[in-house]
Amino acid sequence: MDMHLSDSSTSAPSHATLSGTGGVCLMRNAWKGEHPSVINFISSFLSANSFRLNFVPIAPDFIFNCGGLSVAFVFVTNWDCNNVSLIFSRVQKLRTQFARFYVIITLPAKQQIDSFIQSYFKFEMVIGKPTFVPVQDIEMGFEKMVKIAHSSGVYKQQKIGEKLKAERKQLVQGMNFYLKVVTSIPGVDNHDANAASKDQILENTDLSAEKAEMISRFLRDPKFYSSPKIT
């Protein structure tokens, strides 16, 4: 079974702040009304971690947007061993609507843990779709949510950064290649390669006027040499 297991020896959340990307937390209106006692904790914890809190009519209990990535959560705060069908029915429905979807469940007692495991297989849940995260209490569960959303957003930003770095490297390689071509023209060296004109290229090579214009534009016009494809 795909679960994030919490340390059973932990008696209280750490309230540690997270570094890096913040974001927005959308809370379902009804969830706010059902849990008024923890709203202050949630607001303070989100603020400390650079998240804004909004109350909206949404299907899951929470949606976090962090680093341009959305992560949805159902937060089950009261596991009733005699009434679990509604929980799994809701989870089955929502998992088809969100690409990144987790279920946080408070399971403070062994009886509830056993009930959950039996129910997981009874309702034929697909491993990892979604991932279930058992916790001891609401505060710990909310911290787990924020950490999951935060790590997802940071990971996406890192992937974007890697992509931009690769694109910059490709651009530099392209520039170096064209400079090597141009400096092979008689009378043009590294010092004045960027100033090579169309006429100068035509005088010293057997290139066509069109090719000479393309090389000259490449060296002079940032919009031209920054384009993804040179035709």
Side-chain angles (χ1 to χ4, degrees):
M1 189 187 307
D2 186 16
M3 293 188 196
H4 290 292
L5 296 178
S6 302
D7 185 356
S8 59
S9 64
T10 303
S11 60
S14 64
H15 301 286
T17 57
L18 307 173
S19 61
T21 306
V24 177
C25 170
L26 305 179
M27 180 189 294
R28 185 168 63 96
N29 286 330
W31 202 95
K32 174 187 177 183
E34 294 165 359
H35 306 87
S37 61
V38 294
I39 298 301
N40 286 339
F41 162 78
I42 289 174
S43 298
S44 298
F45 188 77
L46 287 173
S47 178
N49 288 284
S50 302
F51 279 88
R52 299 194 314 273
L53 176 61
N54 294 327
F55 302 103
V56 291
I58 54 177
D61 295 320
F62 295 89
I63 297 178
F64 284 81
N65 188 290
C66 184
L69 192 72
S70 293
V71 186
F73 296 88
V74 161
F75 194 169
V76 180
T77 59
N78 181 27
W79 182 266
D80 184 351
C81 301
N82 299 315
N83 187 24
V84 300
S85 60
L86 290 178
I87 296 173
F88 282 98
S89 176
R90 184 183 179 210
V91 168
Q92 292 279 23
K93 181 179 180 180
L94 288 175
R95 74 174 185 177
T96 63
Q97 300 177 20
F98 297 93
R100 298 168 186 84
F101 177 50
Y102 295 81
V103 182
I104 312 293
I105 311 177
T106 54
L107 301 171
K110 183 179 183 304
Q111 179 184 4
Q112 293 172 312
I113 295 174
D114 293 342
S115 170
F116 166 71
I117 293 174
Q118 293 173 4
S119 300
Y120 184 95
F121 293 105
K122 176 182 177 181
F123 288 91
E124 300 180 343
M125 299 301 299
V126 178
I127 293 177
K129 297 183 179 180
T131 296
F132 286 78
V133 185
V135 295
Q136 292 181 328
D137 52 48
I138 293 178
E139 289 80 3
M140 182 183 293
F142 194 78
E143 290 198 14
K144 290 286 186 181
M145 277 199 298
V146 174
K147 289 178 181 178
I148 291 171
H150 176 267
S151 61
S152 299
V154 169
Y155 176 76
K156 181 178 180 179
Q157 290 299 309
Q158 289 175 342
K159 297 297 289 185
I160 292 174
E162 291 172 2
K163 182 179 179 181
L164 292 174
K165 183 177 180 181
E167 290 176 350
R168 284 195 297 268
K169 181 178 180 181
Q170 186 177 17
L171 176 60
V172 170
Q173 289 174 340
M175 282 289 293
N176 289 338
F177 172 76
Y178 270 86
L179 287 172
K180 185 178 292 185
V181 170
V182 175
T183 53
S184 70
I185 299 172
V188 180
D189 57 24
N190 281 327
H191 179 71
D192 57 7
N194 288 332
S197 66
K198 173 183 174 182
D199 292 339
Q200 186 178 8
I201 295 171
L202 285 172
E203 289 175 5
N204 292 280
T205 70
D206 58 358
L207 293 174
S208 67
E210 181 183 358
K211 295 291 185 181
E213 173 67 19
M214 182 188 72
I215 292 175
S216 180
R217 282 187 60 199
F218 178 84
L219 294 169
R220 293 168 175 269
D221 187 354
K223 293 182 180 179
F224 187 75
Y225 64 66
S226 295
S227 61
K229 183 177 181 182
I230 299 175
T231 58

Coordinates of all heavy atoms in Angstrom, one line a residue, residues 5-52:
L5 N 4.1 7.2 6.0 CA 3.9 6.8 7.4 C 4.5 7.8 8.3 O 5.7 8.2 8.2 CB 4.5 5.4 7.7 CG 3.9 4.3 6.9 CD1 4.6 3.0 7.2 CD2 2.4 4.1 7.2
S6 N 3.7 8.3 9.3 CA 4.2 9.3 10.3 C 4.8 8.5 11.4 O 4.4 7.4 11.8 CB 3.1 10.1 10.7 OG 2.5 10.8 9.7
D7 N 5.8 9.2 12.1 CA 6.5 8.6 13.2 C 5.5 8.5 14.4 O 5.1 9.6 14.9 CB 7.7 9.4 13.6 CG 8.5 8.8 14.7 OD1 8.1 7.8 15.2 OD2 9.5 9.4 15.0
S8 N 5.1 7.4 14.9 CA 4.1 7.2 15.9 C 4.6 7.7 17.3 O 3.9 8.0 18.2 CB 3.8 5.7 16.1 OG 4.9 5.0 16.4
S9 N 6.0 7.9 17.4 CA 6.5 8.4 18.6 C 6.4 9.9 18.7 O 6.7 10.5 19.8 CB 8.0 8.0 18.8 OG 8.8 8.6 17.8
T10 N 6.1 10.6 17.6 CA 6.0 12.1 17.7 C 4.7 12.5 18.3 O 3.6 12.1 17.8 CB 6.1 12.6 16.2 OG1 7.3 12.2 15.6 CG2 6.0 14.1 16.2
S11 N 4.8 13.3 19.3 CA 3.6 13.7 20.0 C 3.0 15.0 19.6 O 1.9 15.3 19.9 CB 3.8 13.7 21.5 OG 4.9 14.6 21.8
A12 N 3.8 15.8 18.9 CA 3.4 17.1 18.5 C 4.1 17.5 17.3 O 5.3 17.2 17.0 CB 3.6 18.1 19.6
P13 N 3.5 18.3 16.4 CA 4.1 18.8 15.2 C 5.3 19.8 15.5 O 5.3 20.4 16.6 CB 3.0 19.5 14.4 CG 2.0 19.9 15.5 CD 2.1 18.9 16.5
S14 N 6.2 19.9 14.6 CA 7.4 20.7 14.9 C 7.2 22.2 14.7 O 8.0 23.0 15.2 CB 8.6 20.2 14.1 OG 8.3 20.4 12.7
H15 N 6.3 22.5 13.8 CA 6.0 23.9 13.5 C 7.2 24.6 12.8 O 7.3 25.8 12.8 CB 5.6 24.8 14.7 CG 4.4 24.2 15.4 ND1 3.1 24.4 14.9 CD2 4.2 23.5 16.5 CE1 2.2 23.8 15.7 NE2 2.9 23.3 16.7
A16 N 8.0 23.8 12.2 CA 9.2 24.3 11.5 C 8.8 25.0 10.2 O 7.8 24.6 9.5 CB 10.2 23.2 11.2
T17 N 9.4 26.1 9.9 CA 9.1 26.8 8.6 C 9.9 26.2 7.5 O 11.0 25.6 7.7 CB 9.4 28.3 8.7 OG1 10.8 28.5 9.1 CG2 8.6 29.0 9.8
L18 N 9.4 26.4 6.3 CA 10.0 25.8 5.1 C 10.7 27.0 4.3 O 10.1 28.0 4.1 CB 8.9 25.1 4.2 CG 8.1 24.1 4.9 CD1 7.0 23.6 4.0 CD2 8.9 22.9 5.4
S19 N 11.8 26.7 3.7 CA 12.5 27.7 2.9 C 12.1 27.5 1.5 O 11.8 26.4 1.0 CB 14.0 27.6 3.1 OG 14.5 26.3 2.7
G20 N 12.2 28.6 0.7 CA 12.0 28.5 -0.7 C 10.6 29.0 -1.1 O 10.1 30.0 -0.6
T21 N 10.0 28.3 -2.0 CA 8.8 28.8 -2.7 C 7.6 28.8 -1.8 O 7.3 27.9 -1.1 CB 8.4 27.9 -3.9 OG1 9.6 27.8 -4.7 CG2 7.3 28.4 -4.7
G22 N 6.8 29.9 -1.8 CA 5.5 30.0 -1.1 C 4.4 29.7 -2.0 O 4.6 29.1 -3.1
G23 N 3.2 30.3 -1.8 CA 2.1 30.0 -2.7 C 0.8 30.4 -2.1 O 0.7 31.3 -1.2
V24 N -0.3 29.7 -2.6 CA -1.6 30.0 -2.2 C -2.3 28.7 -1.7 O -2.1 27.7 -2.3 CB -2.5 30.6 -3.4 CG1 -3.9 30.8 -3.0 CG2 -1.8 31.9 -3.9
C25 N -3.0 28.8 -0.6 CA -3.8 27.7 -0.1 C -5.3 28.0 -0.2 O -5.7 29.0 0.3 CB -3.4 27.4 1.3 SG -4.5 26.2 2.1
L26 N -6.0 27.2 -1.0 CA -7.5 27.3 -1.1 C -8.1 26.3 -0.2 O -7.9 25.1 -0.3 CB -7.9 27.1 -2.5 CG -7.3 27.9 -3.6 CD1 -7.8 27.6 -5.0 CD2 -7.5 29.4 -3.3
M27 N -9.0 26.8 0.8 CA -9.7 25.9 1.7 C -11.1 25.8 1.4 O -11.8 26.9 1.1 CB -9.5 26.4 3.1 CG -10.2 25.5 4.2 SD -10.2 26.2 5.9 CE -8.4 26.2 6.2
R28 N -11.7 24.7 1.4 CA -13.1 24.5 1.1 C -13.9 25.2 2.2 O -13.7 25.0 3.4 CB -13.5 23.0 1.0 CG -14.9 22.7 0.6 CD -15.1 21.2 0.3 NE -14.8 20.4 1.5 CZ -15.7 19.9 2.3 NH1 -17.0 20.2 2.1 NH2 -15.4 19.2 3.3
N29 N -14.9 26.0 1.8 CA -15.7 26.7 2.8 C -16.3 25.8 3.9 O -16.2 26.2 5.1 CB -16.9 27.4 2.1 CG -16.4 28.6 1.3 OD1 -15.4 29.3 1.6 ND2 -17.1 29.0 0.2
A30 N -16.8 24.7 3.5 CA -17.4 23.8 4.5 C -16.4 23.2 5.5 O -16.7 23.1 6.7 CB -18.1 22.6 3.8
W31 N -15.2 23.0 5.0 CA -14.1 22.5 5.9 C -13.8 23.5 7.0 O -13.7 23.2 8.2 CB -12.9 22.2 5.2 CG -11.9 21.2 5.8 CD1 -11.9 19.9 5.6 CD2 -10.9 21.5 6.8 NE1 -10.9 19.3 6.4 CE2 -10.3 20.3 7.2 CE3 -10.5 22.7 7.5 CZ2 -9.3 20.2 8.1 CZ3 -9.5 22.6 8.4 CH2 -8.9 21.3 8.8
K32 N -13.8 24.8 6.6 CA -13.6 25.9 7.6 C -14.7 25.8 8.7 O -14.4 26.0 9.9 CB -13.6 27.2 6.9 CG -13.6 28.4 7.8 CD -13.8 29.7 7.1 CE -13.8 30.9 8.0 NZ -14.0 32.2 7.3
G33 N -16.0 25.7 8.3 CA -17.1 25.6 9.2 C -17.0 24.4 10.2 O -17.5 24.5 11.3
E34 N -16.5 23.3 9.7 CA -16.5 22.1 10.4 C -15.3 22.1 11.4 O -15.3 21.3 12.4 CB -16.3 20.9 9.5 CG -17.6 20.7 8.6 CD -17.3 19.7 7.4 OE1 -16.1 19.3 7.3 OE2 -18.2 19.5 6.6
H35 N -14.3 22.9 11.2 CA -13.1 22.9 12.1 C -12.7 24.2 12.5 O -11.5 24.7 12.3 CB -11.9 22.2 11.4 CG -12.3 20.8 10.8 ND1 -12.9 20.6 9.6 CD2 -12.2 19.6 11.4 CE1 -13.1 19.3 9.4 NE2 -12.6 18.7 10.5
P36 N -13.5 25.0 13.2 CA -13.2 26.4 13.6 C -12.0 26.5 14.5 O -11.3 27.5 14.6 CB -14.5 26.9 14.2 CG -15.2 25.7 14.6 CD -14.9 24.6 13.6
S37 N -11.8 25.4 15.3 CA -10.8 25.5 16.4 C -9.4 25.5 15.8 O -8.4 25.8 16.6 CB -11.0 24.3 17.4 OG -10.8 23.1 16.7
V38 N -9.2 25.0 14.6 CA -7.8 24.9 14.1 C -7.5 26.0 13.0 O -6.4 26.0 12.5 CB -7.5 23.5 13.5 CG1 -7.6 22.5 14.6 CG2 -8.5 23.2 12.4
I39 N -8.5 26.8 12.7 CA -8.3 27.8 11.7 C -7.1 28.8 12.1 O -6.3 29.2 11.2 CB -9.6 28.6 11.4 CG1 -10.7 27.7 10.9 CG2 -9.3 29.8 10.4 CD1 -10.3 27.0 9.6
N40 N -7.1 29.2 13.3 CA -6.0 30.1 13.7 C -4.6 29.4 13.6 O -3.7 30.1 13.1 CB -6.2 30.5 15.2 CG -7.3 31.5 15.4 OD1 -7.7 32.2 14.4 ND2 -7.8 31.6 16.6
F41 N -4.5 28.2 13.9 CA -3.2 27.4 13.7 C -2.9 27.4 12.2 O -1.7 27.7 11.8 CB -3.4 26.0 14.3 CG -2.3 25.1 13.7 CD1 -1.0 25.1 14.2 CD2 -2.6 24.2 12.7 CE1 0.0 24.3 13.7 CE2 -1.6 23.4 12.2 CZ -0.3 23.4 12.7
I42 N -3.9 27.1 11.4 CA -3.6 26.9 10.0 C -3.2 28.3 9.4 O -2.2 28.4 8.6 CB -4.9 26.4 9.3 CG1 -5.1 24.9 9.6 CG2 -4.8 26.6 7.7 CD1 -6.4 24.4 9.1
S43 N -3.9 29.4 9.8 CA -3.6 30.7 9.2 C -2.2 31.1 9.6 O -1.4 31.6 8.8 CB -4.6 31.7 9.8 OG -5.9 31.4 9.3
S44 N -1.8 30.8 10.9 CA -0.4 31.2 11.4 C 0.6 30.4 10.7 O 1.7 30.9 10.3 CB -0.4 31.0 12.9 OG -1.3 31.8 13.5
F45 N 0.4 29.1 10.5 CA 1.4 28.2 9.9 C 1.6 28.6 8.4 O 2.7 28.6 7.9 CB 0.9 26.8 10.0 CG 2.0 25.8 9.6 CD1 3.1 25.5 10.4 CD2 1.9 25.2 8.3 CE1 4.0 24.6 10.0 CE2 2.8 24.3 7.9 CZ 3.9 24.0 8.7
L46 N 0.5 28.9 7.7 CA 0.6 29.3 6.3 C 1.3 30.6 6.2 O 2.2 30.7 5.3 CB -0.8 29.4 5.7 CG -1.6 28.1 5.4 CD1 -3.0 28.3 5.0 CD2 -0.8 27.2 4.4
S47 N 1.0 31.5 7.0 CA 1.7 32.8 7.0 C 3.2 32.7 7.2 O 4.0 33.3 6.5 CB 1.0 33.8 8.0 OG 1.7 35.0 8.0
A48 N 3.5 31.8 8.2 CA 5.0 31.7 8.5 C 5.7 31.0 7.3 O 6.9 31.2 7.2 CB 5.1 30.8 9.7
N49 N 5.0 30.3 6.4 CA 5.6 29.7 5.3 C 5.3 30.3 4.0 O 5.4 29.7 2.9 CB 5.2 28.2 5.3 CG 5.9 27.4 6.4 OD1 7.0 27.1 6.3 ND2 5.1 27.1 7.4
S50 N 4.9 31.6 4.1 CA 4.6 32.4 2.9 C 3.5 31.9 2.0 O 3.6 32.1 0.7 CB 5.9 32.6 2.0 OG 7.0 33.1 2.8
F51 N 2.5 31.4 2.6 CA 1.3 31.0 1.8 C 0.1 31.9 2.2 O -0.1 32.3 3.3 CB 0.9 29.5 2.2 CG 1.6 28.5 1.5 CD1 2.8 28.0 2.0 CD2 1.2 27.9 0.3 CE1 3.6 27.0 1.3 CE2 1.9 27.0 -0.4 CZ 3.1 26.5 0.1
R52 N -0.7 32.3 1.2 CA -1.9 33.0 1.4 C -3.0 32.0 1.5 O -3.1 31.1 0.8 CB -2.2 34.0 0.3 CG -1.1 35.0 0.1 CD -1.6 36.2 -0.9 NE -2.3 35.7 -2.0 CZ -1.7 35.4 -3.2 NH1 -0.4 35.4 -3.3 NH2 -2.4 35.0 -4.2

